[in-house]
Amino acid sequence: MMGRVWSWRTISLILSTLSSINAPMINPFKSLRPLAWFAAASLLGHFSIHAGVEAVVADMKSAAEHFLNALNEEERQVATFEFDDAQRTDWHFIPKERKGLIWNQMSGEKKTLAHALLASGLSTRGYIQSTTIMTLEKILQDMEGPNRRFPRDPELYHVSIFGTPSTSQTWGWSIEGHHLSLNFTIAHGKAISATPHFMGTNPALVKEGPRKGLQVLADEENLARALLHSLKPAQLKKALIGNKAPGDIFTAAEQTVSPLENKGIAASDLNWHQKESLLEIIETYLHHVRPELADQELESIDRAGIENIQFAWMGGKEVGDAHYYRIQGPTFLLEYDNIQNGANHVHAVWRDFKNDFGRDLLKWHYQNVAH
């Protein structure tokens, strides 16, 4: 047991399994359920947890300051906003007019520093996915030709910083453009909200040309379909909530979201391996961001109860079919659709019901910290 690394998924599965046993035995985890992440450490052995959120804050502050210091006064005015500016929560994932400093208006050094800011909030995989999504605009440009409806430019992405970068005060930043919206709120230098978090791809799968076979969000699609195919008929009847996929994700680009209709199959109705698959999908989304931030969110999901998470699917079940799925828990929502352009156009979003744009963090701060 010494030296073994226990993942959040393994610990959560053990806890949820023990809590579902109806035997006359003492469950040492039950009374510690709100602190499951830490209690399991002492009871199960050694495992690794990234608790360095403050280190992430420091990295973000440094990256934001270096970026801003490289800008001239005019560029700085375009890139910066007051923290409470309405622009901070005015997010979207479609091609549209936006505020903020545009990548294609920066010199080479400034673009590099913008990339450093982007990387400060993301995992290696999340950074690669984000920058690859940007490059899909060139493929769309070639596919749509000169009479295209929207401008397609891999550098038509906007950088915005809200408030003053700090390790002790509240501020935020976003990078946004077509099919990419990354929003980070830093509350009092102690906690970070990473939602709304949106990634999309068009084409979802590149079918021709030198990049044939590229599928940026492959795991987000394939893991969910594998879970669907693992369900027994009675389970599938619960999970499949519609034979036709909707037109898009239900929450669109709303600034705040509430839980969607309580439909789908609950984690409590899944076997061990199916639960593991469900949790792997959740981890795949949350690990777009830095592991320190992902672990913070996984703790929150765990405290709210793994058994309360639901998985729902709409549309076709096979590769190439238009489809939609969602994973919803008491605190969060993941939505995914692949419907448009012959089911080769993906929208995927991670939302937090209380803490999008740091609302819950900011509320707690104002209620508990002297001003």
Side-chain angles (χ1 to χ4, degrees):
M1 185 72 71
M2 290 297 293
R4 180 170 182 176
V5 176
W6 292 82
S7 72
W8 169 81
R9 185 161 71 245
T10 300
I11 293 168
S12 296
L13 283 168
I14 292 171
L15 290 168
S16 64
T17 300
L18 285 171
S19 66
S20 67
I21 295 175
N22 294 317
M25 62 176 287
I26 296 174
N27 179 353
F29 299 96
K30 190 172 182 180
S31 63
L32 300 176
R33 194 67 177 82
L35 297 174
W37 185 257
F38 299 102
S42 59
L43 292 166
L44 294 176
H46 298 279
F47 75 101
S48 176
I49 178 172
H50 298 274
V53 174
E54 291 185 8
V56 179
V57 173
D59 288 345
M60 289 182 173
K61 171 184 178 288
S62 176
E65 286 181 336
H66 281 94
F67 173 70
L68 291 175
N69 289 340
L71 305 182
N72 60 40
E73 184 59 32
E74 182 180 354
E75 291 169 330
R76 196 175 296 113
Q77 288 183 4
V78 174
T80 57
F81 305 82
E82 295 296 326
F83 178 75
D84 58 0
D85 193 292
Q87 175 70 16
R88 190 174 72 87
T89 58
D90 183 20
W91 78 283
H92 218 302
F93 50 85
I94 62 173
K96 65 185 286 287
E97 291 292 326
R98 290 176 166 87
K99 294 182 180 179
L101 188 61
I102 306 174
W103 228 278
N104 63 20
Q105 295 178 353
M106 304 178 201
S107 66
E109 177 193 14
K110 295 166 188 176
K111 290 176 183 178
T112 299
L113 294 171
H115 274 286
L117 177 61
L118 176 63
S120 73
L122 301 177
S123 65
T124 300
R125 177 173 172 270
Y127 175 77
I128 292 171
Q129 286 178 304
S130 297
T131 52
T132 307
I133 285 169
M134 294 177 178
T135 69
L136 292 179
E137 293 298 288
K138 180 62 171 68
I139 294 177
L140 282 179
Q141 184 184 88
D142 295 340
M143 289 172 57
E144 295 173 348
N147 297 320
R148 68 186 73 90
R149 180 183 175 189
F150 300 108
R152 304 297 189 186
D153 183 348
E155 294 192 332
L156 193 56
Y157 289 83
H158 299 65
V159 181
S160 301
I161 296 176
F162 304 94
T164 302
S166 170
T167 55
S168 61
Q169 301 302 315
T170 295
W171 62 288
W173 60 276
S174 72
I175 291 178
E176 184 178 279
H178 184 218
H179 278 165
L180 187 68
S181 184
L182 307 174
N183 302 277
F184 294 92
T185 304
I186 298 89
H188 204 57
K190 302 297 182 184
I192 300 173
S193 163
T195 57
H197 177 99
F198 182 96
M199 289 187 180
T201 53
N202 181 19
L205 173 65
V206 180
K207 297 184 177 181
E208 58 185 21
R211 303 178 75 189
K212 181 179 179 179
L214 174 65
Q215 188 176 5
V216 180
L217 299 176
D219 287 348
E220 288 78 356
E221 173 156 332
N222 297 335
L223 291 173
R225 183 178 291 106
L227 172 58
L228 184 77
H229 286 172
S230 77
L231 300 178
K232 304 299 183 183
Q235 293 175 311
L236 183 61
K237 187 175 180 180
K238 293 180 180 180
L240 190 61
I241 64 172
N243 292 320
K244 183 178 179 181
D248 206 338
I249 55 175
F250 285 97
T251 55
E254 297 173 10
Q255 292 187 7
T256 60
V257 295
S258 299
L260 299 177
E261 194 172 2
N262 191 27
K263 288 185 175 182
I265 185 168
S268 57
D269 292 327
L270 301 176
N271 65 36
W272 173 281
H273 295 295
Q274 291 166 339
K275 285 181 185 177
E276 187 174 46
S277 296
L278 178 66
L279 298 179
E280 185 177 5
I281 301 167
I282 296 171
E283 285 184 322
T284 297
Y285 278 78
L286 271 57
H287 277 285
H288 290 169
V289 300
R290 289 270 293 266
E292 299 93 333
L293 305 184
D295 286 344
Q296 171 184 268
E297 297 303 322
L298 292 170
E299 289 176 47
S300 175
I301 290 171
D302 181 66
R303 286 194 298 268
I306 300 301
E307 302 300 315
N308 298 320
I309 297 173
Q310 290 188 312
F311 172 70
W313 185 282
M314 299 176 72
K317 306 181 193 69
E318 305 304 324
V319 174
D321 292 342
H323 65 282
Y324 162 95
Y325 75 81
R326 68 173 176 253
I327 297 173
Q328 179 169 268
T331 61
F332 77 101
L333 172 68
L334 306 177
E335 285 192 282
Y336 179 102
D337 76 56
N338 190 350
I339 299 163
Q340 302 175 49
N341 301 101
N344 197 29
H345 182 152
V346 165
H347 291 166
V349 70
W350 162 27
R351 304 298 302 262
D352 188 303
F353 296 128
K354 292 185 178 180
N355 204 34
D356 277 352
F357 298 110
R359 288 189 176 92
D360 215 32
L361 292 176
L362 297 174
K363 180 180 178 181
W364 182 92
H365 168 68
Y366 289 129
Q367 290 177 344
N368 293 277
V369 178
H371 293 81

